[in-house]
Amino acid sequence: MATILIVDDDPQTRQLYVSLLSPLGHKVIEASDGEKGIRAATESHPALVISDVLMPNISGYEFVSRLRQLPQFATVPFIFQSASLFDHQTRALGATCGVTHFIPKPSEPETILEVVHSALGSSAQLPPAAPAPPTVTEHIPWLLDAVYERSRELEAVNHTLEQRLSELAATNQELEAFTYTVAHDLRAPVRHISAFGELLSQKFSHALPDDGRMLLNRILRASHQMGVLVDDLLRFSRLGRVQIQRNRVDLNRIVQAVRLDLKPDLEGRDIDWQIQELPEIEGDQSLLYQAIANLVSNAVKYSQRQPHAQIEIGTSESGGENTVIFVRDNGAGFEMEYAAKLFQVFERLHAAEEYEGNGIGLAIVKRIVDHHGGRVWAEGSPGKGATFYLSLPAGKGEYAKPRERAAGR
Amino acid sequence: MPNQGNVLLVDDNAGDRELVQLSLQDSHCAGEIVVARDGAEALDFLYRRGDFSERTGPPPAIILLDIKMPRVNGIEVLGKIRSDPQLRLIPVVMLTSSPQGRDVEVCYRMGANGYVVKPFDFAQFTATTRTIAQFWCSLNEIPSGVVA
């Protein structure tokens, strides 16, 4: 039989405690806020105080701190009810005010009774609790308010982010549909101009005067360029959502394959190739092929006016875990002040009449390198050539040094 | 050349149909080329319905199937063919305008025998369709039991 004080601004919670504890012979006294709780406590001398944490006027922390400062309540056991969200903080803060027990909200009646009886039994052993330093108790309500304010802000931000995310997903879907339309509906007419023009040239070229043949050839060249542009654009846009497949990639084999594929462009050219031994890295084979193919074919293209072109492919010293490879040519080069523009889509530093191109190739290289978590940059000067660098994560040790691993077994 | 397989060409684009027909006729590597202008017509042909209710003769040795078409698209036609016990062994090559990554996967998963993007270059275009026809109409043997 004990007198128990329950302080809670919610009448239903108070009623729950009354109906649970009264039948067991306890005298339950109710108070709807901290001030009333302090008055009720000094009048009825309860053997146990149960309090809510969040209450109007004064919080549970202030309530218990003020009660603890009265000598007759220095050792009275004290229970906090707390919502599980802030359980950890509540316990830590509560302990500094001398709260000995906690009841999570909501709880089964069995749990409540268990905690109440354990608290009642503990009153004798309770050491005199030192009153919490006033600085702590003063800051507690402020802290608690700040925590709740912050969590409300976070909820609002989360909500906005979720909205943005679904808007972005919708925009992405629209873009994909647009790409599909470009792919399908633009490719067909371009293909027809190109194919029927070719047929015209094959079958009736002899019937055309020289200037007519010249005009037809211009149409054919333009439609070919248009075809390449549409395909490059598609490749570029697809890279936006590609998932990279990481494997062991031998850069030497990629360079070999790239040179083989470029053979038609090398006819009639005098190129001095200097190719160093390249490392193996971890990456997406087909994407890396595309990136290196673009760089090497650029080197071939921009060195076409050199009677003795030189193209060098190799690795340069890298700091840390990245592998740096470079492709260098002695071709047209560029002015360094425009270096940043090189990798932007549709940006070109040379007129199309000088060097064929559409300004997508290096943007594709950048996207591929970005996907690998690497970096790309260029150095050059007009008339003296250009060097393009790729810095790529070398990958796990097992990939970086395959020969040593083999020798160890 | 005798016994060359027929081609069912399904494409809504008249220009593309003409290009395929031109390249196949010049190469003499396919038998008859039957044209369907969309997926619905293709299914009519396969099930001998509508304009094709009087059709006799063997099933096509190869179906060249565009994807984006009005009424019934190529992927739907492919699904229908692969789920019908009497049609499912007919080889189908998707001959499409657009190199769409997702379509490629979907088509192969549904049992397409190939996925070819129509090249821009006419010489390449001709070479591609001829290679397909040569393989499927002359070299490949269809198992007996296909009734279409």
Side-chain angles (χ1 to χ4, degrees):
Chain A
M1 293 340 112
T3 302
I4 298 172
L5 171 63
I6 166 80
V7 187
D8 200 306
D9 56 330
D10 174 29
Q12 281 182 334
T13 308
R14 297 201 304 269
Q15 188 52 47
L16 170 72
Y17 280 84
V18 172
S19 50
L20 273 176
L21 300 172
S22 301
L24 299 173
H26 298 302
K27 184 181 174 191
V28 182
I29 298 159
E30 298 175 58
S32 61
D33 65 34
E35 294 288 0
K36 288 176 187 154
I38 290 167
R39 272 202 303 278
T42 44
E43 283 162 14
S44 58
H45 304 288
L48 170 68
V49 180
I50 304 170
S51 165
D52 190 14
V53 178
L54 285 175
M55 293 186 294
N57 304 325
I58 63 170
S59 74
Y61 299 106
E62 196 177 340
F63 168 64
V64 61
S65 304
R66 277 168 57 179
L67 212 57
R68 280 274 186 252
Q69 282 167 24
L70 304 173
Q72 67 268 40
F73 294 110
T75 59
V76 170
F78 212 105
I79 300 179
F80 258 1
Q81 313 166 62
S82 65
S84 54
L85 180 63
F86 294 106
D87 202 39
H88 183 70
Q89 293 96 315
T90 310
R91 279 168 191 264
L93 286 171
T96 64
C97 318
V99 175
T100 50
H101 293 75
F102 297 86
I103 296 176
K105 247 182 178 179
S107 271
E108 295 296 317
E110 293 79 16
T111 314
I112 294 174
L113 289 176
E114 212 172 285
V115 177
V116 165
H117 285 136
S118 141
L120 278 172
S122 72
S123 59
Q125 294 91 44
L126 191 76
T135 45
V136 173
T137 50
E138 272 164 25
H139 282 89
I140 284 167
W142 177 83
L143 267 176
L144 203 67
D145 278 352
V147 167
Y148 276 88
E149 183 60 30
R150 206 57 209 268
S151 79
R152 265 196 298 276
E153 272 172 28
L154 280 176
E155 268 170 34
V157 169
N158 262 348
H159 184 69
T160 318
L161 277 178
E162 271 165 26
Q163 249 176 344
R164 287 278 158 76
L165 204 65
S166 69
E167 280 167 19
L168 269 179
T171 312
N172 256 351
Q173 238 166 10
E174 269 172 37
L175 269 177
E176 222 165 293
F178 175 74
T179 308
Y180 194 98
T181 308
V182 170
H184 191 274
D185 297 354
L186 204 55
R187 268 186 123 252
V190 175
R191 186 168 55 247
H192 296 165
I193 296 169
S194 177
F196 288 115
E198 193 65 45
L199 274 175
L200 178 66
S201 164
Q202 276 175 21
K203 293 190 174 170
F204 302 102
S205 183
H206 61 274
L208 285 172
D210 279 353
D211 47 355
R213 265 201 299 275
M214 204 177 71
L215 290 175
L216 179 58
N217 282 336
R218 286 176 69 174
I219 294 173
L220 286 177
R221 267 205 306 277
S223 66
H224 172 76
Q225 275 170 16
M226 178 96 173
V228 173
L229 174 65
V230 169
D231 275 356
D232 278 355
L233 258 183
L234 279 170
R235 212 167 289 138
F236 180 67
S237 81
R238 271 208 308 278
L239 277 176
R241 49 180 191 281
V242 77
Q243 290 277 330
I244 74 166
Q245 315 281 328
R246 282 188 191 273
N247 281 304
R248 196 172 80 182
V249 176
D250 182 353
L251 294 173
N252 298 299
R253 293 184 65 177
I254 287 192
V255 169
Q256 234 174 5
V258 164
R259 283 183 61 193
L260 211 62
D261 279 359
L262 283 174
K263 224 169 180 178
D265 299 334
L266 302 179
E267 264 173 45
R269 293 284 307 274
D270 172 17
I271 299 178
D272 171 20
W273 292 91
Q274 292 169 30
I275 298 173
Q276 294 175 13
E277 176 80 11
L278 300 173
E280 280 190 349
I281 62 166
E282 197 186 318
D284 188 302
Q285 173 101 20
S286 73
L287 292 183
L288 287 174
Y289 175 88
Q290 210 174 323
I292 291 171
N294 286 4
L295 290 183
V296 176
S297 80
N298 268 2
V300 169
K301 179 165 69 183
Y302 287 100
S303 62
Q304 61 185 288
R305 306 242 163 107
Q306 293 293 332
H308 303 293
Q310 286 177 345
I311 297 177
E312 194 184 343
I313 303 169
T315 52
S316 63
E317 278 305 305
S318 59
E321 291 161 3
N322 281 9
T323 297
V324 178
I325 65 163
F326 66 83
V327 177
R328 178 174 297 142
D329 66 65
N330 64 340
F334 60 90
E335 288 165 83
M336 274 307 276
E337 59 176 306
Y338 302 123
K341 279 193 167 186
L342 278 170
F343 300 99
Q344 289 170 20
V345 70
F346 294 133
E347 287 285 357
R348 301 208 62 213
L349 301 185
H350 298 276
E353 290 85 43
E354 271 187 288
Y355 297 97
E356 230 176 66
N358 52 33
I360 303 178
L362 287 176
I364 288 179
V365 173
K366 184 172 183 333
R367 272 210 174 169
I368 290 172
V369 173
D370 284 348
H371 273 310
H372 281 81
R375 208 163 66 84
V376 58
W377 69 98
E379 288 168 1
S381 65
K384 290 188 178 152
T387 308
F388 287 83
Y389 296 90
L390 303 182
S391 165
L392 295 160
K396 293 168 192 149
E398 56 186 295
Y399 288 151
K401 290 171 185 163
R403 282 178 197 138
E404 281 180 25
R405 187 184 55 167
R409 280 190 185 167
Chain B
M1 200 188 285
N3 291 332
Q4 273 182 332
N6 298 336
V7 176
L8 172 58
L9 170 63
V10 192
D11 200 319
D12 62 320
N13 189 307
D16 280 350
R17 288 199 302 265
E18 205 176 327
L19 285 176
V20 175
Q21 280 175 300
L22 277 172
S23 57
L24 290 184
Q25 277 158 6
D26 280 3
S27 70
H28 307 288
C29 54
E32 194 191 344
I33 302 161
V34 185
V35 166
R37 287 167 300 181
D38 61 32
E41 271 192 24
L43 293 174
D44 280 352
F45 175 86
L46 292 170
Y47 288 108
R48 298 172 203 269
R49 301 182 304 217
D51 289 350
F52 301 99
S53 52
E54 305 291 306
R55 175 172 77 86
T56 53
I62 177 72
I63 300 176
L64 299 178
L65 189 55
D66 188 20
I67 292 185
K68 198 182 168 212
M69 293 183 291
R71 299 206 289 173
V72 179
N73 69 38
I75 292 179
E76 290 167 321
V77 174
L78 177 64
K80 190 83 190 152
I81 292 171
R82 289 295 178 252
S83 62
D84 185 327
Q86 304 205 311
L87 303 179
R88 67 184 179 85
L89 294 174
I90 303 177
V92 177
V93 170
M94 312 308 287
L95 189 59
T96 171
S97 246
S98 42
Q100 289 286 309
R102 200 173 302 153
D103 280 356
V104 180
E105 272 182 55
V106 168
C107 289
Y108 277 113
R109 214 181 310 125
M110 289 174 68
N113 298 79
Y115 187 104
V116 177
V117 178
K118 295 167 190 165
F120 276 119
D121 186 85
F122 183 62
Q124 254 187 54
F125 190 98
T126 313
T128 305
T129 49
R130 282 178 188 177
T131 310
I132 296 170
Q134 230 158 26
F135 179 77
W136 294 104
C137 298
S138 303
L139 302 171
N140 186 51
E141 297 281 345
I142 291 195
S144 54
V146 180
V147 221

